[in-house]
Amino acid sequence: MALKGLKEFIKKLKTPVDGYDLIDIFGQIDHEKIAKDLNLKEVGAEKGKHNLPAADSNIDDEIEFQIKEKIESAKLNAYLLAQDHIVTLNQRISNLDFESHFTELRQNSLLTISEIQTEIELGLNGMYTRRRKYLEAKKEFALFREINGLEHRTAKITTPFGKTLRVLIILIMVVVETYFNGIYLAKSNALGLFGGIIEAATFALLNIGYSIILTFFVIRQIVRKSFFWVLIGLIGILAWICVVFFINLGLAHYREVAATIFEGAGADVLQRILANPFDLKEIKSWMLFAIGTLFATFTLVDVISFSDIYPGYTKRQTKWDEEEEEYKEAFILYTETFDDIKEEYIETLKEIGKAISIRERALDSIISSSGRLNNLYLFHIQHLQRISDLLFSRYYESNRATRTEREPVRFNERFIIEKSELEFDFLAKTNQIKQSISNAKEFLDEQIQQVLDEHKKAIGVLNNLEKLDLDKLDKNIKEFSDG
């Protein structure tokens, strides 16, 4: 993502910028040492005894020449040293590399804005699709309720725990019925309790299995408005009664028959049921029949209460609820995503702004250093002027003290040091750099505002989805895609 490029750009921009300290770079001239080296006092006194230099002399003697030579040499060294520092300051401005950094900033920022717009557009496309699925499920649910006269109530929804509990109840009933049946059949089975349980499990599965199938797929149709489905439901109830009675009477007769014969019991049971189904001799057989019928009834009630009694109502209610929940979750997710995109980009731009400010302060420091350098240079020239005045004064005073004739006119004139102006060429481009910095900051502000506008637009579109029906949604999708 281009945002990664901006973050890499920040690392470059945050490259440490060394300070530049100027503390008395020119140093001090030791005039006492110069006076001693030139032996100004003694030479001046000796020359004064001979009235040298002559009163009409217009040319410096060797001592005056040496003083001027040392002062001029110190001045030249100071000038060259100052120019070296100017070159260094100029190089430091170049190292700040504002122009290339600002060019890179614009390229990365514009690319990032484009990618943000694309990401937001993709997100909104996803939300349009999600909204459409939700509205279709809602429309389907509303139409189902209208056709079947269910507007007055919502569908019964069984929780995952409720579903698990009801399935568990059915399994328990199978196990319990198998156990009871096994106990009653054990005496009539050659394998005893184990054989009785095997046979009992078969009858229990048939008893409960058929109850589940008939109740769920047939009996529940009785609540429909159509006479045809009501008839199907009634047929289902009769079929359930017949199946339950047949299976459980068969089980009870089987117990009595199997106790006397071990082969052909099944055919004998069928004949007894057809001839006289309620001709059971033992109370335990009646108990076996009652237990099977009771468990079949429990199964019927459990299946009916498993979901809404109206066929298909729970399915459509669940579908709508799920689509609504998914839409809300997607809405929150996309909102948070847009917020994260906005915050991350704005935070990145703010970091860039801080880094630019740091470099701007570094530029100000360099400019300030150039001013300090110029001041130090001027102070040093003034220092050289004072040293020059002291050296000439010492030489002239010692010379006057021993003269008998008047001194040359120049003894009363001050030797003026002419300073060379420092050339701060780079200062001419600092205003341009300052303007570039100002433009860069304005550009950052514009980018932040653009991201805020894109974010506001995206959130507005999301919120507008809440007000659209299917027809308006399709129209908006077309306009959004074309736009």
Side-chain angles (χ1 to χ4, degrees):
M1 185 177 177
L3 189 58
K4 183 179 179 182
L6 279 181
K7 292 183 176 180
E8 292 295 326
F9 170 70
I10 291 176
K11 293 180 182 179
K12 298 178 186 178
L13 207 57
K14 286 185 175 180
T15 303
V17 181
D18 296 332
Y20 196 77
D21 201 8
L22 295 169
I23 303 176
D24 197 17
I25 60 173
F26 299 108
Q28 299 290 319
I29 304 295
D30 188 352
H31 68 281
E32 293 291 344
K33 184 177 184 304
I34 295 175
K36 185 178 179 180
D37 291 342
L38 296 178
N39 202 14
L40 295 181
K41 191 174 181 180
E42 291 76 6
V43 172
E46 182 63 27
K47 284 197 170 194
K49 290 179 182 179
H50 298 90
N51 292 312
L52 296 176
D56 58 352
S57 171
N58 293 321
I59 300 174
D60 296 333
D61 63 13
E62 70 277 8
I63 299 299
E64 291 172 303
F65 178 78
Q66 289 179 18
I67 292 173
K68 289 183 179 181
E69 184 180 35
K70 287 187 176 293
I71 296 299
E72 289 294 332
S73 177
K75 184 186 75 170
L76 178 60
N77 289 336
Y79 176 79
L80 294 177
L81 180 59
Q83 287 299 128
D84 287 342
H85 281 281
I86 290 174
V87 171
T88 302
L89 291 173
N90 191 25
Q91 183 60 45
R92 286 178 180 270
I93 289 181
S94 298
N95 290 341
L96 292 175
D97 197 18
F98 283 104
E99 290 304 321
S100 64
H101 282 319
F102 294 159
T103 300
E104 186 176 353
L105 169 63
R106 288 181 177 277
Q107 291 173 345
N108 281 296
S109 294
L110 294 175
L111 183 58
T112 302
I113 286 290
S114 176
E115 289 191 359
I116 287 174
Q117 290 172 335
T118 300
E119 191 166 345
I120 288 177
E121 184 175 340
L122 291 174
L124 291 175
N125 280 330
M127 282 304 300
Y128 272 120
T129 301
R130 178 65 64 188
R131 178 69 177 176
R132 181 177 181 80
K133 289 179 65 178
Y134 162 68
L135 290 177
E136 287 175 344
K138 182 179 180 181
K139 184 176 181 180
E140 178 186 354
F141 178 71
L143 184 61
F144 182 86
R145 294 181 70 186
E146 182 182 351
I147 292 174
N148 296 286
L150 299 170
E151 295 94 336
H152 60 284
R153 68 177 183 87
T154 57
K156 177 182 178 180
I157 303 295
T158 305
T159 63
F161 174 76
K163 292 179 180 178
T164 303
L165 181 61
R166 282 173 168 76
V167 171
L168 187 61
I169 289 173
I170 291 176
L171 293 176
I172 291 173
M173 285 194 295
V174 171
V175 173
V176 173
E177 184 180 359
T178 299
Y179 175 73
F180 279 109
N181 291 350
I183 291 175
Y184 288 116
L185 293 175
K187 186 173 71 172
S188 62
N189 192 284
L191 298 177
L193 179 61
F194 179 75
I197 290 175
I198 296 298
E199 291 178 341
T202 303
F203 280 102
L205 288 174
L206 288 173
N207 187 38
I208 292 177
Y210 274 112
S211 292
I212 292 173
I213 293 171
L214 287 172
T215 303
F216 190 83
F217 293 103
V218 184
I219 294 176
R220 291 199 313 156
Q221 307 302 325
I222 199 171
V223 299
R224 290 181 180 269
K225 295 172 64 176
S226 170
F227 175 76
F228 171 78
W229 288 111
V230 173
L231 182 61
I232 293 294
L234 290 173
I235 293 173
I237 292 174
L238 292 174
W240 178 81
I241 293 173
C242 293
V243 169
V244 169
F245 269 71
F246 181 81
I247 292 173
N248 288 286
L249 280 173
L251 178 61
H253 282 287
Y254 180 78
R255 178 185 176 279
E256 293 188 354
V257 172
T260 58
I261 61 175
F262 292 101
E263 293 184 5
D268 192 44
V269 167
L270 184 59
Q271 290 176 4
R272 290 183 61 171
I273 291 175
L274 294 175
N276 192 354
F278 297 103
D279 184 20
L280 298 173
K281 308 298 183 182
E282 298 183 22
I283 188 64
K284 289 185 178 180
S285 298
W286 281 108
M287 292 179 65
L288 192 61
F289 169 75
I291 290 172
T293 304
L294 180 64
F295 278 113
T297 304
F298 281 159
T299 302
L300 182 145
V301 173
D302 187 59
V303 172
I304 287 178
S305 62
F306 189 83
S307 59
D308 196 275
I309 192 172
Y310 201 95
Y313 198 18
T314 296
K315 178 181 178 181
R316 286 170 175 80
Q317 177 81 60
T318 302
K319 179 180 179 181
W320 179 38
D321 290 344
E322 288 176 352
E323 289 294 340
E324 184 176 34
E325 185 63 27
E326 289 179 7
Y327 173 74
K328 289 179 180 179
E329 291 177 356
F331 187 93
I332 294 173
L333 175 63
Y334 281 118
T335 301
E336 292 176 348
T337 300
F338 295 158
D339 288 343
D340 291 341
I341 291 172
K342 177 196 71 175
E343 294 299 330
E344 185 179 11
Y345 185 65
I346 289 178
E347 186 62 31
T348 301
L349 292 181
K350 286 182 178 179
E351 285 189 38
I352 292 174
K354 291 177 182 177
I356 290 176
S357 295
I358 291 173
R359 289 193 167 242
E360 183 178 17
R361 288 195 293 272
L363 176 64
D364 292 337
S365 176
I366 292 172
I367 296 172
S368 177
S369 294
S370 67
R372 290 199 301 275
L373 176 61
N374 191 59
N375 289 335
L376 288 173
Y377 176 72
L378 294 177
F379 291 152
H380 189 67
I381 295 299
Q382 292 173 4
H383 169 68
L384 292 180
Q385 185 67 63
R386 288 192 298 272
I387 295 301
S388 173
D389 293 344
L390 286 172
L391 292 175
F392 277 107
S393 177
R394 183 167 298 188
Y395 175 63
Y396 290 156
E397 289 300 324
S398 63
N399 186 275
R400 286 192 186 99
T402 58
R403 293 179 72 93
T404 57
E405 297 179 2
R406 66 181 181 84
E407 71 275 14
V409 175
R410 67 176 180 275
F411 274 30
N412 296 311
E413 295 175 352
R414 187 185 190 191
F415 172 62
I416 302 299
I417 299 175
E418 295 180 2
K419 67 176 185 297
S420 300
E421 296 294 334
L422 298 180
E423 300 173 1
F424 294 94
D425 295 336
F426 62 86
L427 292 177
K429 63 181 179 182
T430 55
N431 289 334
Q432 181 180 353
I433 295 174
K434 283 282 188 179
Q435 184 60 48
S436 296
I437 293 173
S438 177
N439 292 340
K441 289 183 175 180
E442 288 180 6
F443 176 75
L444 290 176
D445 291 338
E446 290 172 0
Q447 294 299 97
I448 290 175
Q449 187 57 52
Q450 187 171 357
V451 172
L452 290 173
D453 292 342
E454 292 293 334
H455 175 267
K456 182 178 180 181
K457 176 183 175 183
I459 297 300
V461 173
L462 282 178
N463 291 328
N464 190 50
L465 287 178
E466 299 290 321
K467 308 171 185 176
L468 302 179
D469 56 23
L470 271 175
D471 294 336
K472 291 181 179 179
L473 182 69
D474 290 337
K475 181 179 179 182
N476 266 39
I477 291 176
K478 186 176 184 304
E479 292 177 353
F480 183 77
S481 300
D482 294 343

